[in-house]
Amino acid sequence: MAATTEGLIIADISKKDPKQIVFKHHTKDVHRSNSLSNNATMYVAEDKKHRIYICTESGGVNQILTEDLLADQLEFRHFNTSTGLPSDVALSAVADGDNLLVVSNNQIIIL
């Protein structure tokens, strides 16, 4: 899984032949409210319950809800200013017990 400025990229590297590696590219889709909230992804974090979170430049934090990470479309839950976060800037994150500590511009946010 890779965070890029052009969206989230997920690769299936289970094949031994590099030519058979399958890449999935996920971006914001204005027609789907549960798509990635921003294409500028900054960081990928996983908590102790194996939930995966994507930090974005100005779309807050996106939790992947889809169980199959190689699905053509992923569904996300958004955590941002409209859901109570003090900032939509999420530079990185780390799991701490049951919390996710999110680094923003000048603050650490507990999610």
Side-chain angles (χ1 to χ4, degrees):
M1 194 172 292
T4 75
T5 57
E6 299 295 324
L8 180 69
I9 297 174
I10 299 177
D12 177 3
I13 58 172
S14 64
K15 309 291 184 196
K16 294 190 187 256
D17 181 358
K19 293 177 185 174
Q20 292 181 332
I21 294 176
V22 175
F23 292 92
K24 300 289 183 171
H25 184 217
H26 301 280
T27 58
K28 179 177 180 163
D29 180 350
V30 296
H31 302 292
R32 287 191 321 117
S33 62
N34 61 354
S35 74
L36 193 62
S37 67
N38 189 284
N39 287 338
T41 58
M42 307 296 288
Y43 195 81
V44 178
E46 182 177 4
D47 69 10
K48 70 179 186 177
K49 294 180 181 176
H50 303 290
R51 295 175 295 198
I52 300 173
Y53 299 88
I54 311 303
C55 297
T56 69
E57 183 179 65
S58 60
V61 178
N62 293 238
Q63 178 188 359
I64 298 177
L65 299 177
T66 309
E67 288 188 31
D68 179 8
L69 295 178
L70 295 173
D72 289 333
Q73 283 188 339
L74 296 180
E75 292 186 9
F76 297 88
R77 175 181 297 142
H78 304 123
F79 300 95
N80 51 37
T81 54
S82 68
T83 63
L85 286 186
S87 175
D88 282 337
V89 176
L91 304 174
S92 65
V94 64
D96 179 39
D98 289 333
N99 299 315
L100 188 70
L101 305 179
V102 180
V103 177
S104 189
N105 282 338
N106 59 357
Q107 58 192 327
I108 294 178
I109 303 164
I110 299 175
L111 181 64

